[in-house]
Amino acid sequence: MDRKPTPHTNRLAVVLTGGGARAAYQVGVLRTIANRFPGTRFNIITGVSAGAINALFLASRQTPLPETIGDLTKLWEDLRIESVIHVAPWSLARQLSLWALRLVSGGSSLSPNVRGLVDTAPLRELLARTFPHHEGGVISGVAENVARCEPDAVAITTLNYTTGQTITWVDGCEIETWARPLRRATRTAFTIDHVMASAALPILFPAVRLGDSWHGDGGIRLIAPLSPALHLGAERILAISTSYQQTFDEAERHETVGYPPPAQILGQLMSSVFLDVMDEDALHLERSNAFLRELPPELRRGYRIVDLVVVRPSRDLSALAAHYEPLLPRGFRFLTRSLGTRETSRPHFLSLLMFERNYLREMMDIGAAAAEARLDDIARLLKTPVTNVAA
């Protein structure tokens, strides 16, 4: 028997941003929430980039939140760089050789077709094992859960390289799509390809074909990370960002000595590409809330007050990546060091690919501690008391 969606006055959304391997931090935050607020039910689930993997994991399970997060934790604990990309020296050499031939071909029709610096076939295989799917790749569980309005809505975001539009793919219970010149929503049945596309780091990972267009990482130029949750009717939002906000002194500190190595430049480019505007988006929402509180409900013209809690790292996750770099496979480590990852104190570029067990576990522990530090705020958002169990 189908259920009706949760009334607008109570809809709780979780917003999961990107960050490659740093998305393990989100799992730590969710782990504390599952332990401290085991009855939590997210009515709206949105994700982008690596956060899309976590989002669809939540949306596709029918188990209680503590059990679901326990399974998600195990998935991340078992991850290796080999689980995501081919790191054998022959594979890396082949990909680099194809790019070199492409660059020196002068646009010849005989030049090789290259679709990323690395081969992400292992990630596709991992997702296929993680998300049971029907013929055609449609992920089992999501559509069935949405049909019962558990959750009410799910959304993940990609960038359409063909048109330059940001596309939010949605499925839900009595939802409406939206359209703007550079961003729009499209209803869909989620597949492995949607997840691969949303997590396709630019240049590094190959783009993925969805329909008649090629799509890549949804975190590129994402100017309104809270927008999908708001469009889908959220009244309360828990946003989990993987981006560390530097202090003024930290921002003034030199990260390299001498001429910046390629890894430093790539890291800055990646930071710009994945411009984290969560704080700006949150500020706009708080200003809107303040304005609406001054108006009686009948004059709000359909706009609503939305409660928001943003949880973000209290430590620099990129800087921590340098500590674990020696544990990466030798061939891959040789490639990253040739780019100068050891010549910068904050290897942003490396942190995206730091799928190393000890690093991922520390990310989860940092996330769990961050949520513990915000228990009062989270309890107010969830409208439920804290359960005194071990985190």
Side-chain angles (χ1 to χ4, degrees), residues 145-288:
N145 289 343
V146 165
R148 294 191 299 270
C149 303
E150 296 178 348
D152 297 335
V154 184
I156 67 173
T157 301
T158 65
L159 177 70
N160 186 332
Y161 286 144
T162 311
T163 65
Q165 284 184 312
T166 293
I167 309 296
T168 298
W169 306 89
V170 299
D171 195 8
C173 190
E174 298 183 20
I175 62 171
E176 296 181 2
T177 57
W178 59 93
R180 303 288 186 272
L182 291 178
R183 53 189 174 96
R184 63 180 176 85
T186 299
R187 189 147 192 169
T188 192
F190 289 107
T191 67
I192 300 297
D193 281 342
H194 288 96
V195 188
M196 289 290 294
S198 186
L201 294 167
I203 304 299
L204 294 173
F205 290 7
V208 178
R209 187 163 189 162
L210 298 175
D212 61 354
S213 299
W214 292 91
H215 292 249
D217 199 303
I220 301 173
R221 206 190 56 211
L222 184 62
I223 60 174
L226 301 177
S227 176
L230 294 172
H231 278 295
L232 292 169
E235 290 280 349
R236 299 172 291 150
I237 298 177
L238 172 68
I240 309 177
S241 171
T242 63
S243 179
Y244 170 70
Q245 293 288 14
Q246 292 181 298
T247 65
F248 184 82
D249 287 340
E250 289 172 329
E252 291 286 317
R253 194 175 301 156
H254 288 197
E255 298 175 10
T256 61
V257 177
Y259 191 83
Q264 176 70 5
I265 298 172
L266 282 171
Q268 297 302 324
L269 286 173
M270 287 293 181
S271 295
S272 297
V273 165
F274 297 108
L275 183 63
D276 189 334
V277 293
M278 181 66 75
D279 285 340
E280 184 177 349
D281 210 15
L283 179 60
H284 290 164
L285 180 59
E286 293 300 338
R287 286 175 175 170
S288 174

Side-chain angles (χ1 to χ4, degrees), residues 77 161 270 293 386:
E77 284 180 338
Y161 286 144
M270 287 293 181
R293 289 188 182 99
V386 178

Side-chain angles (χ1 to χ4, degrees), residues 364-385:
M364 287 187 276
D365 289 343
I366 292 172
E372 286 284 344
R374 299 290 302 279
L375 279 183
D376 289 343
D377 293 332
I378 295 172
R380 281 195 293 270
L381 181 76
L382 301 183
K383 300 180 180 179
T384 186

Side-chain angles (χ1 to χ4, degrees), residues 76-96:
W76 280 89
E77 284 180 338
D78 292 341
L79 274 183
R80 305 290 184 277
I81 186 70
E82 297 92 339
S83 308
V84 180
I85 63 175
H86 279 305
V87 293
W90 66 264
S91 178
L92 296 173
R94 178 180 180 276
Q95 294 298 115
L96 291 174

Side-chain angles (χ1 to χ4, degrees), residues 16-18 23 26 45-58 127 131 154-158 194-199:
L16 304 171
T17 63
Q26 298 169 349
I45 302 172
T46 78
V48 61
S49 191
I53 298 174
N54 293 335
L56 284 191
F57 194 100
L58 292 176
L127 293 176
F131 296 107
V154 184
I156 67 173
T157 301
T158 65
H194 288 96
V195 188
M196 289 290 294
S198 186

